[in-house]
Amino acid sequence: MPTVARYGEVSQPNLVLLHGFLGTKADWLPLIPELSQHFHCICLDLPGHGDNQQELPSTLANGFDYCVQDIISRLDRLGIGPFFLYGYSLGGRIALHLAKAYPQRILSLWLESCHPGLTDTAEQTARSKNDNLWAKRLLSLSSRDFLQLWYQQAVFADMSDKARHALIAKRAALLDQHPKQTLKQIFLATSLARQTSLWDVPASLGCECHFFAGSQDAKFTVIAKAWQAQQPIILHQIEQAGHNIHQANPAALVACLSALKLKKSMT
């Protein structure tokens, strides 16, 4: 099965979309009818997700570098030139690494609910222990039981019970389609505990960097404001949304992205 889905006219500006952990390229479908009127949308499955089930190296020295090269090689095979880059959560952290490695490819960097990196050793140690626990749960529990625990985390507190149950059912069906070892491997290899600090990336880019935070996501709003205080970050707060903005309020997000594209085309 293809690991890339494309929508919209190729004459439109390229927009590469990177989903979060447990997601797939199909997560962007609610945005596509409107978004593809403004962009040539390129939605990719991250390694270990969706249809991207290629065997990983037995040891990943740097999971972020692996993901970046996986993405770039697919874009190169498609002949994709410069692009707008949008990443959510894990996809946002990978997008930061990609922008740092290939700044000349990026027209504008758009990050949704994305952490630039832990700078405190104690926090890194605690995160490593926590992620190792989640990795064990991923392999030992049924898909549904794992997801019920995962989506009870505080960062997803804004989700309604109906939305949470629907998402768990959808994700469980996808998780059961493939062995979970590869997903576990990429989860640990791209742990926030293993991520180097990327707080200074925006200032090193030759393009704008935008951060999208849900108005109901207190944690990432605080992170975004702290980042904005020291780097050229443009913060957009999207109403009626928490951590997963594109799921909670896709219309508001698309309107914001379309406006940014128009602004870019006029400069």
Side-chain angles (χ1 to χ4, degrees):
M1 297 291 290
T3 66
V4 180
R6 302 165 71 179
Y7 307 91
E9 298 294 331
V10 296
S11 59
Q12 295 274 28
N14 296 314
L15 170 60
V16 173
L17 296 141
L18 305 179
H19 60 77
F21 178 61
L22 298 173
T24 73
K25 58 184 179 295
D27 287 2
W28 305 109
L29 286 176
L31 286 67
I32 292 301
E34 178 62 26
L35 206 56
S36 63
Q37 301 300 310
H38 305 277
F39 299 94
H40 171 218
C41 301
I42 302 135
C43 309
L44 301 97
D45 285 326
L46 294 176
H49 294 76
D51 295 315
N52 193 353
Q53 296 295 323
Q54 63 183 334
E55 185 176 352
L56 302 177
S58 57
T59 57
L60 276 179
N62 190 313
F64 294 103
D65 286 351
Y66 180 88
C67 289
V68 167
Q69 293 308 314
D70 175 77
I71 292 165
I72 287 294
S73 65
R74 283 183 283 164
L75 295 178
D76 286 347
R77 287 196 296 271
L78 294 171
I80 301 299
F83 51 87
F84 291 83
L85 180 59
Y86 189 103
Y88 161 64
S89 195
L90 169 61
R93 295 192 288 118
I94 292 171
L96 270 170
H97 284 83
L98 195 157
K100 182 178 181 180
Y102 295 92
Q104 73 281 6
R105 303 284 292 267
I106 311 301
L107 296 172
S108 189
L109 179 60
W110 299 343
L111 306 170
E112 176 187 340
S113 308
C114 162
H115 205 302
L118 299 173
T119 56
D120 180 81
T121 302
E123 289 184 345
Q124 291 172 333
T125 300
R127 178 61 181 246
S128 181
K129 290 180 179 179
N130 193 49
D131 281 356
N132 277 296
L133 176 60
W134 279 114
K136 291 178 182 178
R137 288 170 174 166
L138 177 64
L139 295 187
S140 63
L141 299 176
S142 70
S143 296
R144 185 172 289 273
D145 287 346
F146 171 80
L147 292 165
Q148 284 176 339
L149 287 174
W150 182 264
Y151 287 112
Q152 288 298 328
Q153 294 181 91
V155 74
F156 301 113
D158 67 290
M159 293 178 65
S160 67
D161 288 341
K162 180 179 179 181
R164 182 177 289 106
H165 292 155
L167 186 58
I168 288 171
K170 174 184 175 182
R171 294 282 194 247
L174 291 170
L175 272 181
D176 287 338
Q177 290 180 14
H178 306 285
K180 299 173 184 174
Q181 181 60 39
T182 302
L183 182 62
K184 173 204 169 186
Q185 192 177 355
I186 207 69
F187 171 67
L188 291 177
T190 57
S191 167
L192 184 59
R194 300 183 65 174
Q195 177 178 311
T196 57
S197 174
L198 298 173
W199 286 76
D200 61 349
V201 168
S204 70
L205 300 177
C207 65
E208 289 185 345
C209 183
H210 297 260
F211 193 106
F212 301 87
S215 62
Q216 299 167 15
D217 187 351
K219 175 181 176 179
F220 278 85
T221 296
V222 169
I223 290 171
K225 289 182 176 179
W227 202 2
Q228 186 182 43
Q230 56 182 273
Q231 289 282 307
I233 295 283
I234 302 170
L235 174 59
H236 307 267
Q237 284 206 277
I238 307 298
E239 297 300 319
Q240 300 178 348
H243 187 67
N244 190 331
I245 300 168
H246 60 276
Q247 183 271 329
N249 197 348
L253 180 61
V254 169
C256 189
L257 299 183
S258 301
L260 290 178
K261 179 247 185 176
L262 178 62
K263 176 186 174 184
K264 179 73 175 178
S265 67
M266 296 174 63
T267 58

